[in-house]
Amino acid sequence: MPQHEHMERHKKRHGVRMDKMERDRKREARKAHKISEFAQKSFGLRAKLFNQKRFKEKAAMRKTLALHKEGSNKHANDDKVTDGAVPAYLLDRENVTRAKILSNTVKQKRKEKAGKWTVPIPKVKPIADDEMFKQMASGKRQKKNWKRMITKVTFVGDAYTRKAPKFERFIRPTGLRYKKAHITHPELKTTFCLDILGVKKNPSSTLYTNLGVITKGTIIEVNVSELGLVTQSGKVVWGKYAQITNNPELDGCINGVL
C-alpha cells in the first residue's frame, strides 16, 4: 500500500466508529454555517480568493443540477409535422415536447474532449523519493548530504549542458540516459524505434517531469516524422505523445504505446 494511504489501512484493520454516519451527516450540515461565517468575517485578498473559489464551486453545482433536470425540460419542437389537417385553434400553437437541452453535437464534442487525453494505463503506483534518489556524500570530508543521484531512467536533450560537479544537486548517470524508445502504434499493430523529443508528464511528481525521469506511466513526446503520419489538412505530424508501459530501469529499454 502506498505511503500516503495510512488512514485507509487503519480503516481496513480496525473499522470505523459506530456513529460515523451520524457524525458525518452533522458535519455536513454544519459546513454551510461554517462557510457563511468565514465569508462574513474574511476581508481583503483572502476574501477575494475565497469568493473566486466559491463562484467556481457554485458554477459546477449549477451545471450538475442542469444535467439532472435535462430529461424533464420542455421546449418547442420544430421538427414534428402532424399528418392531416390541423384545427384553426391549434395552428398558432407550437408543439411542445419533453427533450434534452444539450444537442447531440455539443454532447459529442464534450465526449471527444474528455476522451482526447485518455491513456492506456490510467493508474500508476506512485514512486517515493527514497526509491527515486540515492543520497550522496560530498565535501572535503564527505559530511555534506545535499546531493542526490537519480536511480531511474532519464532523458536529457542534445542541448543539455551539465553544471559544474561542485554545484550539481541532481546527478543523472550517463548509463541511465536514453534517447530512443520502442513505441507501438495501436492501429497498425507495429513497433517502431523512435527518437524521444521530451518528457511531457511524469505522474509521480512535477520534479521528476522537470528532471526528465522516465518511469511506468510517464507521457513522453516522440518523433514520428519517419512514419509519414498526416493531419486532415495535409500537414506532416512531427511529434506525438506516447505512454510508457514497462519499467525501463529493470528492462534496459523503453517500451510505450502512442
Side-chain angles (χ1 to χ4, degrees):
M1 189 173 276
Q3 290 179 342
H4 59 278
E5 289 186 4
H6 53 277
M7 291 177 78
E8 285 79 358
R9 188 189 299 155
H10 186 273
K11 278 179 193 172
K12 280 183 180 177
R13 284 180 181 173
H14 309 290
V16 293
R17 290 172 58 126
M18 298 290 282
D19 59 343
K20 184 186 181 298
M21 299 293 284
E22 185 65 17
R23 283 165 66 89
D24 287 349
R25 185 189 64 77
K26 286 182 178 177
R27 191 182 290 113
E28 195 64 32
R30 285 196 301 269
K31 196 176 177 183
H33 298 286
K34 292 274 185 187
I35 290 168
S36 174
E37 189 184 349
F38 180 80
Q40 287 173 35
K41 284 186 177 179
S42 60
F43 57 89
L45 182 63
R46 197 177 186 189
K48 196 174 180 182
L49 293 169
F50 178 73
N51 288 332
Q52 283 178 355
K53 184 188 166 190
R54 286 291 293 157
F55 180 79
K56 286 175 184 173
E57 284 175 7
K58 285 177 181 177
M61 195 186 292
R62 277 196 293 270
K63 281 182 183 176
T64 312
L65 290 170
L67 285 169
H68 286 307
K69 285 180 182 176
E70 266 182 10
S72 58
N73 273 310
K74 292 182 179 181
H75 74 116
N77 184 14
D78 301 325
D79 302 330
K80 193 176 179 183
V81 179
T82 52
D83 296 329
V86 181
Y89 61 87
L90 287 178
L91 285 171
D92 60 337
R93 194 179 294 178
E94 289 181 347
N95 294 316
V96 178
T97 56
R98 291 181 179 275
K100 295 185 178 179
I101 296 171
L102 297 172
S103 64
N104 290 332
T105 50
V106 175
K107 281 195 172 178
Q108 193 63 32
K109 279 182 184 176
R110 279 188 183 175
K111 280 180 185 175
E112 282 173 11
K113 197 175 181 182
K116 196 175 182 181
W117 303 109
T118 51
V119 286
I121 306 170
K123 283 189 178 181
V124 185
K125 181 191 168 189
I127 297 168
D129 287 355
D130 299 339
E131 190 184 340
M132 178 67 69
F133 302 117
K134 182 186 173 186
Q135 203 169 338
M136 287 190 71
S138 60
K140 189 175 180 181
R141 291 173 181 81
Q142 302 291 303
K143 284 194 174 181
K144 294 177 182 176
N145 292 312
W146 57 274
K147 289 195 176 194
R148 299 285 180 271
M149 186 169 74
I150 298 168
T151 58
K152 304 286 180 187
V153 167
T154 54
F155 166 75
V156 175
D158 295 326
Y160 171 71
T161 308
R162 188 184 168 188
K163 281 184 183 178
K166 189 177 179 181
F167 305 110
E168 192 176 32
R169 175 162 164 72
F170 295 106
I171 299 161
R172 289 174 270 199
T174 49
L176 288 171
R177 292 184 193 176
Y178 283 68
K179 292 195 174 180
K180 285 187 177 286
H182 303 109
I183 304 298
T184 305
H185 197 292
E187 291 170 9
L188 299 174
K189 308 285 185 192
T190 319
T191 305
F192 304 94
C193 188
L194 304 172
D195 292 322
I196 301 171
L197 295 175
V199 177
K200 178 69 179 170
K201 187 171 175 64
N202 189 311
S204 298
S205 168
T206 33
L207 173 66
Y208 303 163
T209 307
N210 297 336
L211 290 170
V213 178
I214 298 172
T215 54
K216 189 175 182 177
T218 305
I219 307 293
I220 61 168
E221 193 175 7
V222 288
N223 185 356
V224 292
S225 56
E226 297 170 9
L227 306 185
L229 299 174
V230 184
T231 59
Q232 291 178 348
S233 57
K235 292 180 181 176
V236 176
V237 178
W238 176 259
K240 248 179 138 31
Y241 293 132
Q243 189 180 31
I244 306 304
T245 54
N246 71 324
N247 292 310
E249 70 278 2
L250 301 177
D251 299 342
C253 65
I254 299 174
N255 299 334
V257 181
L258 270 182

